[in-house]
């Protein structure tokens, strides 16, 4: 088996001491960030990216760290959902529905164990799916030309906000705003300075890393100041050890939830929140006998398996096509592009170490997370007692020192604050932030591919529609749009809190 | 109302953006030139901004007076932190920022002070000394 030998090489990369340390550290940090209400995977990954640069980690190690954080957040989000009835991050919203009632009945330990095992099943199945499907997609995508890539970017923008935004016009505007911000600076092919207004600081354009730390980390601080008191009564865990019989009740639901979540994760623009919602509602329809919403273990297992599987699935379009399937993968894409690594079909040819090292690291991360989240769960429940005023300012300080360490310029700190304010205002106005980041990120490539395509055709725009691959992509885009409209119609049960920055 | 305002903002921004693109010209060899892509994205933004101005759908709910004041204070602290990091040095600037933000978030004064006094040098030691990120310990005003 070709894949098995590649995977074997991947394990050799993942087992390097530095990578093992990063896996454990990332899983720990991720579970912590996920468990804290207010901070989710996007924020966590955004805060860590400048640090990976500052420490000079290579692309493989950075990706391993960030993916471990991403997976960890999906595990951690459930902890506060079950104990506090506050989802630690968005995808955990569905877990509150049955998790909190279980905790109130004194079955918190059971609920945590069921959801921990469900997370493990979901994430592991998704990683297996990633191992099998990603290379297939990458093989097909190798025949892409410039016009096809342009079509791919159009698909990324058209679908990313599909489900999250309430008003599609705003999603498009947000993407266009990102694209406009992305054109600031020297034009790469002609050297003309665009929209710099004479400031030399702007000649390099806006660094996407600086922008996304502002957009995701600082805007969260401003949001936090909106309502003063957060948190409710922490439910005491009750009995200390979970009962194995209760854990077994969740296995079937976990398997079903994993499959649904994985598919939701692959769809561009759907992401983990949708994965959790779809898994929960499917399980409810299948096996509800009036017990759902009242502390049914299957209602805890299904959404947890769903959101973990979705986060694995979301890595597939990001790695193979360079089109992120969720907010967090969009942020990871920013990091790869800043390291001069273009995700896409060629990634599998050019950097097999990165791809397979990452995949192998994800298998290892799952085992680390299982240990962190079952026997060591007490550590994280204690963290929930910490006050926000102690944690949120630390997030600010770490964002500043990370950005300062990579740019050494006070100007970039100001840019970061500016993006923080922008992010806050946009979210208040119901614009989602992920399209802005995507625009800023992909703008230059989109323009380059458009130029390349047009210089092949000698300036004839019809080349964009001549390639069969591009046409298939446009058709798929239309399909995704219809699907996401249909899903958002049906998904009116999604709590309105989901309209925060993605997952 | 907020939709109309954001529509107006986007309309003006995109219109200005497209208008400015006229000034970007380059010589031969490049069939597209530096001005076309800005138009490709600017013109739809003009139209969408206009549509949002005419057909608004959503109205933002802003925080109450106290919340807005807290947010304004936080922005001041964030800007001050950015401007003073180099002149003050990392430890004093971070101490002030953590203290200020902590108090805004409702920290009891003494415990907030303790937190800032521990965290600022702690972060410096952790990231500069232990992990080797160069951070300015003492700023240009003092050194």
């Amino acid at each position: 088996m070709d894949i098995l030998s590649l995977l074997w090489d991947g394990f050799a990369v993942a087992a390097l001491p530095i990578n093992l340390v990063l896996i454990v550290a990332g899983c720990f940090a991720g579970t912590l960030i996920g468990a804290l209400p207010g901070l989710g995977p996007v924020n966590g990954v955004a805060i860590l990216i400048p640090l990976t640069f500052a420490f000079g980690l290579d692309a493989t190690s950075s990706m391993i760290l960030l993916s471990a954080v991403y997976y960890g957040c999906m595990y951690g989000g459930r902890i506060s959902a079950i104990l506090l009835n506050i989802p630690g991050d968005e995808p955990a919203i569905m877990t509150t529905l049955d998790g909190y009632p279980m905790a109130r009945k004194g079955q918190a330990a059971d609920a945590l164990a069921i959801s921990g095992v469900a997370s493990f099943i979901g994430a592991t199945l998704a990683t297996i799916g990633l191992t099998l499907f990603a290379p297939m997609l990458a093989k097909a995508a190798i025949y892409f030309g410039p016009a096809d890539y342009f079509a791919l970017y159009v698909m990324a923008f058209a679908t990313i906000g599909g489900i999250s935004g309430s008003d599609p016009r705003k999603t498009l505007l947000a993407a266009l705003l990102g694209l406009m911000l992305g054109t600031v600076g020297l034009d790469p092919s002609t050297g003309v300075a665009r929209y710099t207004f004479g400031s030399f600081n702007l000649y390099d354009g806006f660094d996407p890393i600086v922008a996304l730390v502002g957009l995701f980390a600082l805007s969260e601080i401003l949001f936090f100041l909106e309502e003063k008191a957060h948190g409710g009564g922490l439910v005491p865990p009750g009995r200390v050890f979970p009962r194995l019989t209760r854990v077994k009740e969740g296995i079937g639901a976990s398997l079903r939830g994993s499959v649904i979540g994985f598919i939701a994760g692959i769809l561009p623009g759907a992401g983990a929140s949708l994965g959790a919602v779809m898994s929960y509602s499917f399980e409810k329809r299948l096996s509800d006998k009036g017990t759902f919403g009242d502390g049914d273990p299957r209602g805890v297992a299904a959404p947890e398996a769903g959101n973990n599987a979705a986060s694995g699935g979301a890595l597939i379009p990001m790695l193979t096509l360079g089109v992120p399937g969720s907010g967090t993968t969009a942020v990871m894409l920013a990091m790869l592009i800043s390291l001069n690594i273009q995700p896409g079909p060629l990634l599998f040819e050019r950097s097999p170490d990165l791809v397979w090292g990452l995949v192998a690291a994800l298998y290892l991360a799952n085992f680390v997370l299982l240990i962190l989240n079952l026997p060591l769960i007490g550590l994280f429940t204690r963290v929930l007692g910490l006050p926000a005023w102690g944690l949120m300012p630390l997030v600010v300080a770490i964002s500043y020192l990370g950005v300062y360490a990579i740019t050494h310029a006070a100007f970039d700190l100001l840019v970061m604050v500016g993006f923080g304010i922008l992010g806050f205002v946009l979210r208040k106005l119901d614009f989602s932030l992920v399209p802005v980041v995507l625009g800023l990120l992909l703008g230059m490539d989109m323009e380059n591919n458009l130029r390349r395509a047009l210089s092949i055709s000698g300036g004839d725009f019809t080349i964009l529609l001549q390639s069969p691959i591009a046409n298939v992509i446009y058709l798929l885009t239309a399909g995704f749009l219809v699907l996401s409209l249909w899903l958002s119609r049906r998904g009116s049960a999604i709590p309105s809190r989901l309209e925060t920055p993605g997952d | 109302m907020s939709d109309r305002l954001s529509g107006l903002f986007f309309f003006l921004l995109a219109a200005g953006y497209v208008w400015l693109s006229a000034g970007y010209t380059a010589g031969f060899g490049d069939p597209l030139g530096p001005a076309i892509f800005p138009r490709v994205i600017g013109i739809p933004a003009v139209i969408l901004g206009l549509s949002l101005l005419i057909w608004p759908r959503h109205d933002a709910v802003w925080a109450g007076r106290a919340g807005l004041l807290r947010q304004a204070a936080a922005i001041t602290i964030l800007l001050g932190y950015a401007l003073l990091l180099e002149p003050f040095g990392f430890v004093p600037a971070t101490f002030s920022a953590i203290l200020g933000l902590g108090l805004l978030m409702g920290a009891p004064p003494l415990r907030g002070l303790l937190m800032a006094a521990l965290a600022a040098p702690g972060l410096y030691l952790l990231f500069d000394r232990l992990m080797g990120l160069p951070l300015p310990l003492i700023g240009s005003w003092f050194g």
Side-chain angles (χ1 to χ4, degrees):
Chain A
M1 275 290 281
D2 199 23
I3 289 180
L4 280 182
S5 74
L6 287 165
L7 191 60
W8 182 248
D9 295 340
F11 272 105
V13 175
L16 293 174
I18 168 92
N19 291 339
L20 286 178
V21 170
L22 290 174
I23 290 171
V24 175
C27 289
F28 186 83
T31 309
L32 192 65
I33 292 166
L36 294 170
L39 292 179
V42 186
N43 321 105
V45 169
I47 296 162
L48 285 175
I49 285 182
L51 292 178
T52 65
F53 275 87
F55 290 131
L57 293 181
D58 63 33
T60 310
S61 298
S62 310
M63 271 308 286
I64 287 176
L65 174 66
L66 297 185
S67 308
V69 171
Y70 185 30
Y71 269 38
C73 283
M74 293 297 160
Y75 276 76
R78 76 191 209 281
I79 300 174
S80 54
I82 289 171
L83 295 179
L84 288 174
N85 201 24
I86 300 171
D89 51 23
E90 287 163 44
I93 290 174
M94 302 313 278
T95 314
T96 60
L97 297 181
D98 275 287
Y100 188 65
M102 274 188 86
R104 279 218 312 231
K105 286 195 268 180
Q107 303 169 350
D110 292 339
L112 286 171
I114 293 163
S115 53
V117 171
S119 298
F120 178 77
I121 294 175
T124 305
L125 287 182
T127 310
I128 294 172
L130 174 69
T131 315
L132 297 177
F133 294 124
M136 279 160 48
L137 196 54
K139 237 169 236 158
I142 218 147
Y143 304 100
F144 281 31
D148 308 323
Y149 274 106
F150 186 79
L152 209 52
Y153 292 138
V154 171
M155 174 164 98
F157 288 116
T159 53
I160 191 73
I163 189 82
S164 60
S166 52
D167 189 338
R169 291 175 299 173
K170 290 187 173 176
T171 308
L172 270 177
L173 267 177
L176 292 169
L177 176 68
L179 287 170
M180 288 195 235
L181 290 169
T183 54
V184 173
L186 292 182
D187 171 27
S189 31
T190 56
V192 176
R194 294 188 291 189
Y195 306 104
T196 57
F197 303 102
S199 161
F200 289 103
N201 282 317
L202 289 177
Y203 270 34
D204 282 336
F206 294 115
D207 185 338
I209 304 295
V210 174
L212 65 90
V213 176
L215 285 173
F216 290 113
L218 295 190
S219 76
E220 198 62 52
I221 302 291
L222 294 177
F223 249 93
F224 185 79
L225 287 164
E226 196 124 287
E227 320 114 49
K228 200 155 192 177
H230 269 250
L234 187 69
V235 178
R239 51 183 301 136
V240 185
F241 293 107
R243 287 165 293 188
L244 211 64
T245 45
R246 303 300 313 266
V247 176
K248 274 191 201 143
E249 286 174 48
I251 301 275
S254 301
L255 291 173
R256 291 186 286 273
S258 304
V259 174
I260 296 171
F262 182 69
I263 295 168
I266 299 177
L267 296 182
S273 302
L274 183 70
V277 173
M278 284 169 59
S279 307
Y280 184 85
S281 30
F282 178 80
E283 192 60 34
K284 190 174 152 113
R285 208 168 313 140
L286 190 76
S287 43
D288 187 15
K289 296 194 177 63
T291 48
F292 271 61
D294 201 26
D296 191 305
R298 287 164 300 188
V300 179
E304 271 307 308
N307 73 37
N308 281 275
S311 59
L315 287 170
I316 295 182
M318 194 271 270
L319 289 171
T320 54
L321 301 174
V323 177
S326 72
T328 311
T329 48
V331 172
M332 290 184 190
L333 183 70
M335 185 200 64
L336 283 179
I337 291 176
S338 301
L339 286 166
N340 273 329
I341 291 185
Q342 182 64 56
L346 293 177
L347 186 68
F348 284 72
E349 301 279 304
R350 283 191 201 141
S351 325
D353 280 8
L354 191 156
V355 177
W356 294 103
L358 174 65
V359 172
L362 290 175
Y363 283 105
L364 298 180
N366 267 322
F367 282 99
V368 174
L369 283 166
L370 190 66
I371 295 168
L372 283 178
N373 281 277
L374 287 180
L376 300 181
I377 187 81
L379 228 81
F380 296 99
T381 54
R382 212 157 297 157
V383 167
L384 289 180
L386 289 180
W389 57 259
L391 295 163
M392 289 303 206
L394 283 184
V395 168
V396 173
I398 293 173
S399 308
Y400 273 67
L401 74 86
V403 165
Y404 187 79
I406 49 170
T407 63
H408 290 285
F411 178 80
D412 283 304
L413 293 177
L414 288 173
V415 170
M416 174 177 75
V417 177
F419 272 100
I421 300 169
L422 177 75
F424 170 71
V425 174
L426 286 178
R427 273 173 61 190
K428 283 305 282 187
L429 296 174
D430 211 21
F431 286 84
S432 74
L433 298 183
V434 174
V436 181
V437 172
L438 267 188
L440 191 56
L441 269 182
L442 301 181
M444 191 191 281
D445 263 322
M446 196 172 171
E447 182 172 11
N448 284 343
N449 277 303
L450 181 62
R451 282 181 166 173
R452 227 170 279 155
L454 288 186
S455 55
I456 293 171
S457 74
D460 180 7
F461 271 89
T462 54
I463 187 172
L464 295 177
L465 297 173
Q466 277 164 6
S467 149
I469 295 179
N471 286 328
V472 169
I473 295 172
Y474 288 126
L475 273 177
L476 279 176
T477 306
F480 279 139
L481 281 178
V482 172
L483 186 71
S484 69
L485 275 178
W486 179 71
L487 285 172
S488 68
R489 283 274 160 78
R490 294 172 39 100
S492 51
I494 306 173
S496 61
R497 265 208 61 186
L498 277 183
E499 283 153 24
T500 33
D503 41 66
Chain B
M1 199 58 217
S2 67
D3 261 11
R4 286 195 198 274
L5 281 178
S6 50
L8 181 68
F9 169 78
F10 273 105
F11 172 73
L12 292 177
L13 179 83
Y17 180 85
V18 172
W19 183 66
L20 276 174
S21 76
Y24 303 131
T25 49
F28 47 89
D30 183 1
L32 204 55
I36 299 299
F37 189 69
R39 282 178 209 157
V40 168
I41 59 180
I43 291 168
V46 170
I47 297 167
L48 284 168
L50 203 59
S51 105
L52 208 55
L53 176 66
I54 300 171
W55 297 288
R57 231 201 243 173
H58 169 260
D59 208 2
V61 183
W62 298 88
R65 225 180 120 74
L68 284 178
L69 275 176
R70 277 199 299 274
Q71 284 161 345
I75 291 174
T76 316
I77 293 174
L78 292 175
L79 286 175
Y81 190 15
L83 287 170
L84 295 177
L85 185 70
E86 279 178 332
F88 269 27
F90 180 78
V91 177
T94 303
F95 171 79
S96 325
I98 290 184
L99 179 60
L101 289 171
L103 291 177
L104 271 183
M105 292 177 180
L110 260 181
R111 290 164 71 192
L113 194 70
L114 188 69
M115 170 77 197
L118 288 176
L123 287 173
Y124 177 79
L125 288 177
L126 181 66
F127 284 100
D128 183 294
R129 287 298 138 98
L130 205 63
M131 302 210 234
L133 291 191
L135 294 170
L137 173 62
I138 304 286
S140 49
W141 284 6
F142 303 116

